Amino acid sequence: MCANSITRGTLADGREFFYFADAGGHGRGRSGAGGGAGGGALRAPADRRTLDGRGPAGELRFDALTGEWVAIAAHRQSRTHLPPAEECPLCPSTPERRSEIPAPDYDVVVFENRFPSLGPDLGHLPEQPAWGSRVPAFGRCEVVSFTPDHAGSFAGLGEARARTVVEAWAVRTAALSALPGIRQVFPFENRGAEIGVTLHHPHGQIYAYPYLPPRAAVLAAAARKYYDDAGRRDTLTGSLLRAERTDGSRMVLEGRHFSAYVPFAARWPLEVHLVPHRQVPDLAALHGDERDELAQLYLDLLRRLDALYPTPTPYIAAWQQAPLDKVLRPAGYLHLQLTSPRRAADKLKYLAGSEAAMGAFINDTTPEEVAARLRGAGATSSTAGTEGSAL
């Protein structure tokens, strides 16, 4: 596949943004662009809004009871919340209305969040925090807009556009991983008002944390223990992938480079893991053929999810990447954890006493039955051009 061109710009308040053009496209999001993705002057349109300078970062406070950091981001109370389409900040700018995207059209764009939970300051957290420890909320939060079209979802993208999003995730993962003080880079998508999205426009986010988040820490510790116990010759995620493929009852689809399955001990009513066949720490480490297939199979998976019910299914797509910690990273293994609280057409699972207070999940569905339904959904979902096969 031809390379995607990338154009960097700066918004009126100093935030960075990056246009990613579809491979073989026309470089939308650039001034003076023409011809193919490599043609034209790589100059981003100017942001002609008048914006105040960026405010100070929020706080990170140390919770001595759990040993975890908590972001205090009161400035996010004023962020945009489910605006009408004509006021959407992710739609392209027009002469009548300027948005967060200065260009009149674009393919995929990534920019620093105007209301970040983390950042814009960068730095290192104290090594031995205690009760009362507070520091600026170091880190970075970026928004990834998948399309200039306000309606729709990731599942409605074409393969070329999905591939551009994968490229954006990979490029930004590499860039954010190189920032001082960053310990974990987390691309994700919240889809659906039931999940808590504040913008309907199809988009995701990337968080760069200055600490290892609790869930990532649990996964990393388990991975490192297995890696050490195996004499550093095997990985936990790799062994689970082999076990699921051998068993077969929870497999959803398989490709040349990736496979998807409902995990044996799924926590959520709908949960699927999409895993590369070789160990890589993050999206940036995938080679071109793997990125191509990832775009195809991810679309297939999301379309299967939406084919289960008459209405779109809310979900969280969480890309679990290896921590940047030099001890934990060798055992890390990139994979997607796609989860939804939807347990029936008209019912959601809410995290109440056992889950929210104790972290003890109780699943209302069986992984085998969910996997069978997702396999069957492949016949009714739009999967044209997908190389993966349903089992």
Side-chain angles (χ1 to χ4, degrees):
M1 178 173 283
C2 299
N4 303 86
S5 65
I6 306 170
T7 308
R8 179 189 177 277
T10 305
L11 296 173
D13 56 3
R15 289 175 290 136
E16 283 188 303
F17 67 87
F18 304 88
Y19 292 111
F20 288 79
D22 291 344
H26 298 283
R28 297 193 297 174
R30 299 184 296 174
S31 296
L42 296 177
R43 188 176 74 253
D47 183 1
R48 302 189 183 282
R49 297 174 297 172
T50 299
L51 299 178
D52 295 333
R54 303 188 69 176
E59 281 189 336
L60 289 176
R61 296 189 182 186
F62 183 70
D63 181 357
L65 195 63
T66 63
E68 300 169 0
W69 289 96
V70 177
I72 306 297
H75 59 284
R76 285 174 55 79
Q77 284 280 33
S78 60
R79 69 188 185 275
T80 306
H81 182 76
L82 299 179
E86 63 271 16
E87 297 177 15
C88 175
L90 301 185
C91 288
S93 286
T94 66
E96 295 76 27
R97 190 188 70 84
R98 303 290 178 181
S99 73
E100 287 279 79
I101 319 296
D105 199 6
Y106 65 88
D107 292 335
V108 174
V109 66
V110 181
F111 62 93
E112 288 186 80
N113 198 322
R114 190 174 180 182
F115 304 97
S117 302
L118 305 169
D121 297 345
L122 297 171
H124 297 270
L125 302 185
E127 294 185 3
Q128 295 183 324
W131 181 90
S133 294
R134 64 172 76 186
V135 296
F138 298 134
R140 183 148 168 165
C141 294
E142 296 185 342
V143 177
V144 184
S145 184
F146 305 145
T147 170
D149 301 324
H150 182 76
S153 67
F154 196 112
L157 302 179
E159 286 186 11
R161 178 58 49 77
R163 177 63 174 82
T164 304
V165 176
V166 170
E167 192 69 16
W169 286 334
V171 169
R172 294 311 300 155
T173 289
L176 294 172
S177 296
L179 295 178
I182 298 304
R183 297 191 61 197
Q184 179 80 37
V185 177
F186 175 50
F188 65 99
E189 180 195 357
N190 298 325
R191 190 274 189 97
E194 300 90 338
I195 294 296
V197 298
T198 57
L199 296 174
H200 290 302
H201 195 114
H203 73 287
Q205 301 178 68
I206 308 176
Y207 275 23
Y209 296 95
Y211 55 88
L212 199 57
R215 174 70 172 162
V218 169
L219 296 176
R224 183 69 212 199
K225 182 181 185 303
Y226 185 94
Y227 185 67
D228 289 339
D229 290 347
R232 303 184 181 182
R233 294 186 298 271
D234 196 9
T235 62
L236 178 57
T237 300
S239 70
L240 295 176
L241 174 61
R242 291 194 304 273
E244 292 289 2
R245 296 182 77 182
T246 299
D247 179 280
S249 64
R250 289 170 295 278
M251 294 300 298
V252 176
L253 55 86
E254 292 185 279
R256 290 180 55 204
H257 304 292
F258 284 82
S259 288
Y261 59 85
V262 178
F264 174 77
R267 297 180 171 207
W268 293 91
L270 295 173
E271 180 171 350
V272 185
H273 293 185
L274 180 60
V275 185
H277 293 170
R278 72 180 180 102
Q279 181 195 9
V280 292
D282 54 29
L283 290 155
L286 295 173
H287 59 60
D289 288 346
E290 290 170 327
R291 296 182 189 187
D292 291 346
E293 184 178 89
L294 175 56
Q296 296 164 354
L297 295 192
Y298 185 44
L299 282 174
D300 186 339
L301 195 56
L302 294 181
R303 289 166 181 170
R304 289 170 189 266
L305 200 69
D306 273 349
L308 294 178
Y309 297 109
T311 57
T313 290
Y315 63 77
I316 297 174
W319 290 98
Q320 299 290 349
Q321 307 196 100
L324 298 172
D325 183 282
K326 64 181 180 181
V327 173
L328 298 173
R329 191 167 178 82
Y333 199 127
L334 167 73
H335 63 285
L336 169 73
Q337 295 186 357
L338 179 66
T339 61
S340 174
R342 193 173 196 176
R343 59 187 179 90
D346 58 349
K347 296 182 177 68
L348 296 176
K349 177 181 179 61
Y350 293 97
L351 300 190
S354 185
E355 291 89 357
M358 296 302 292
F361 276 70
I362 302 168
N363 195 347
D364 302 309
T365 62
T366 67
E368 293 76 17
E369 186 267 339
V370 170
R373 293 176 62 209
L374 287 168
R375 287 195 298 270
T380 55
S381 64
S382 175
T383 57
T386 299
E387 295 181 1
S389 62
L391 296 156

